[in-house]
Amino acid sequence: MYAVVAITKHGVEIARKLHEKLPDAHIYYTDKFAKGDEEQKGIRLFSGNVRVHLATWFATYRGLILIISLGAVVRMIAPLLKDKKTDPAVVVIDDKAEHVISVLSGHLGGANELTRQVAALLHARPVITTASDVQQTIAVDLFGRSFGWVWENEENLTPVSAAVVNEQHVAIVQESGERHWWTYDAPLPANIRTYGSIAEALKARPDAALVVTHRLLGKEEQAILQHGVLYRPKVIVIGIGCNRGTSAQEIEQVICDTLQQLRFSLKSVKALCTIDLKKDEEGLLAVANKYGWPLIFYTPEQLNDVPIDEPSETVFRYTGAYGVSEPAAKRYSGQQQLVLTKKKSGNVTISVALWEGEQ
């Protein structure tokens, strides 16, 4: 949710125009320029100095669109700044709506994208100064974010970003995850080169690296991360079955142990898949909720439509399906060959697939 704030006569007109084009945004302007229809339109009036209210808005909204001079905005938000991962997007519009300026949290907070959106609505000029956007190159802190990728070694984001924008040799090694991450019409910049493996990239001695994989890196491979960022794409599909009443602790332990044995990262889990009889299985629900994993349910008929290697009459007798973990993993991932067909551990049965997605 965004807030649009205006304090001048012309700013109020711009805010009212945005109210029509951004219906989900909350509009605030000073009661000094009230027109009488604000309550009817859902517009919020405030009195006094805008600075008094800004701290509340800063903490409440995902982004602020301020029709206030840039200098005044900088002075007002300076005491409120905490961290680029939590600060809201701040966008400034001049009093004639000629320029829309990305001021704060351009990447992680989404201010750059919001700036483009608002500028398009107002037929204004977007002003974005982050180097990766200006140069049309990779934004290291946003790489793969739209796909749900997460990075592991935050401390390297800044130096690797510097290598990208300063046109140093940057290696990209991608073993899994979505491939259509380059969205510019122009070719990939010459300083950014892709390699087929970490070993190949290491031989090329790059200044920095972006590594995209679900695997836990081996000891020798970890050298790539000395000046690199490791991204975890969401590609691991876990098919799972369990006895009624199995504890969350046991289910979680089986998942963690299995992925460790496969040398896979827990951060790359895309979904847990099972039979719809488990919709109320508390342990399973608790594990999915803890990690934020989607929990996908299939009917026995949907599971039986999937050819499996190890059908079980016993499982069919209790569930109506000839298997649970194996066909669930296959159905969601679209893969006929699984990384782990089926493993029974205590009260839990687990299968593992790799989702390839749109390439």
Side-chain angles (χ1 to χ4, degrees):
M1 180 68 71
Y2 300 111
V4 178
V5 181
I7 60 173
T8 66
K9 179 181 178 180
H10 291 131
V12 166
E13 295 303 325
I14 297 168
R16 289 172 68 90
K17 183 183 294 186
L18 285 176
H19 182 52
E20 298 173 0
K21 299 182 177 183
L22 292 173
D24 293 334
H26 289 168
I27 308 298
Y28 295 87
Y29 55 72
T30 174
D31 55 7
K32 181 179 178 180
F33 298 112
K35 296 181 178 294
D37 61 353
E38 284 79 13
E39 183 175 354
Q40 176 187 347
K41 290 180 174 293
I43 295 173
R44 305 161 189 223
L45 297 173
F46 65 87
S47 58
N49 194 314
V50 68
R51 184 189 296 271
V52 176
H53 307 278
L54 191 61
T56 299
W57 297 331
F58 195 89
T60 302
Y61 290 97
R62 177 184 172 193
L64 301 178
I65 303 168
L66 307 177
I67 313 170
I68 304 171
S69 74
L70 178 58
V73 169
V74 170
R75 285 191 294 272
M76 287 190 292
I77 67 174
L80 307 176
L81 304 182
K82 293 181 180 178
D83 188 282
K84 68 178 183 179
K85 297 192 292 295
T86 57
D87 289 338
V90 176
V91 171
V92 164
I93 304 173
D94 69 70
D95 214 44
K96 285 190 174 182
E98 293 179 345
H99 299 87
V100 181
I101 309 167
S102 177
V103 179
L104 182 69
S105 297
H107 282 165
L108 294 181
N112 290 355
E113 185 56 39
L114 182 60
T115 293
R116 295 187 185 97
Q117 179 186 1
V118 174
L121 294 175
L122 296 175
H123 304 289
R125 181 180 180 181
V127 180
I128 296 170
T129 59
T130 44
S132 60
D133 291 270
V134 173
Q135 295 180 19
Q136 294 194 337
T137 190
I138 292 174
V140 174
D141 52 355
L142 291 185
F143 190 48
R145 187 186 188 191
S146 61
F147 306 122
W149 299 3
V150 294
W151 26 258
E152 286 202 342
N153 44 341
E154 178 184 351
E155 67 278 3
N156 282 357
L157 287 175
T158 299
V160 173
S161 295
V164 170
V165 300
N166 289 326
E167 299 181 340
Q168 295 177 270
H169 177 193
V170 177
I172 294 183
V173 180
Q174 182 174 8
E175 296 183 343
S176 53
E178 293 84 350
R179 305 282 173 170
H180 51 289
W181 43 261
W182 182 249
T183 57
Y184 292 110
D185 291 334
L188 198 64
N191 67 303
I192 300 175
R193 305 167 200 169
T194 59
Y195 295 90
S197 68
I198 292 174
E200 183 183 343
L202 283 170
K203 288 181 181 178
R205 301 175 66 84
D207 298 299
L210 309 179
V211 180
V212 187
T213 183
H214 59 283
R215 291 191 305 110
L216 301 181
L217 301 192
K219 187 175 180 179
E220 293 183 357
E221 292 178 312
Q222 290 176 12
I224 196 77
L225 300 181
Q226 185 175 353
H227 302 289
V229 178
L230 178 62
Y231 299 86
R232 296 303 190 187
K234 303 295 185 181
V235 294
I236 299 171
V237 178
I238 297 176
I240 199 155
C242 62
N243 294 330
R244 178 63 66 181
T246 303
S247 70
Q249 182 179 2
E250 182 178 356
I251 295 170
E252 180 181 13
Q253 193 64 55
V254 170
I255 292 173
C256 291
D257 289 347
T258 300
L259 293 185
Q260 182 63 40
Q261 290 163 6
L262 293 171
R263 301 292 295 163
F264 286 179
S265 171
L266 204 63
K267 292 181 180 179
S268 279
V269 173
K270 184 174 181 64
L272 297 184
C273 308
T274 189
I275 194 167
D276 61 2
L277 295 174
K278 296 297 178 182
K279 283 185 176 180
D280 61 347
E281 191 66 58
E282 293 184 4
L284 202 54
L285 293 169
V287 172
N289 183 64
K290 176 179 178 178
Y291 290 96
W293 295 333
L295 187 51
I296 310 299
F297 300 100
Y298 294 115
T299 65
E301 292 75 20
Q302 288 175 313
L303 296 177
N304 288 337
D305 278 345
V306 179
I308 59 176
D309 298 335
E310 302 178 15
S312 169
E313 291 291 342
T314 302
V315 174
F316 178 78
R317 194 159 48 247
Y318 284 101
T319 68
Y322 286 101
V324 173
S325 67
E326 181 188 353
K330 285 183 173 180
R331 187 175 184 95
Y332 187 89
S333 67
Q335 302 298 313
Q336 288 307 307
Q337 296 298 320
L338 301 184
V339 176
L340 175 66
T341 301
K342 186 168 67 175
K343 183 183 80 171
K344 176 75 173 174
S345 178
N347 292 298
V348 179
T349 303
I350 186 171
S351 301
V352 179
L354 287 179
W355 179 85
E356 293 185 359
E358 297 179 6
Q359 302 302 311

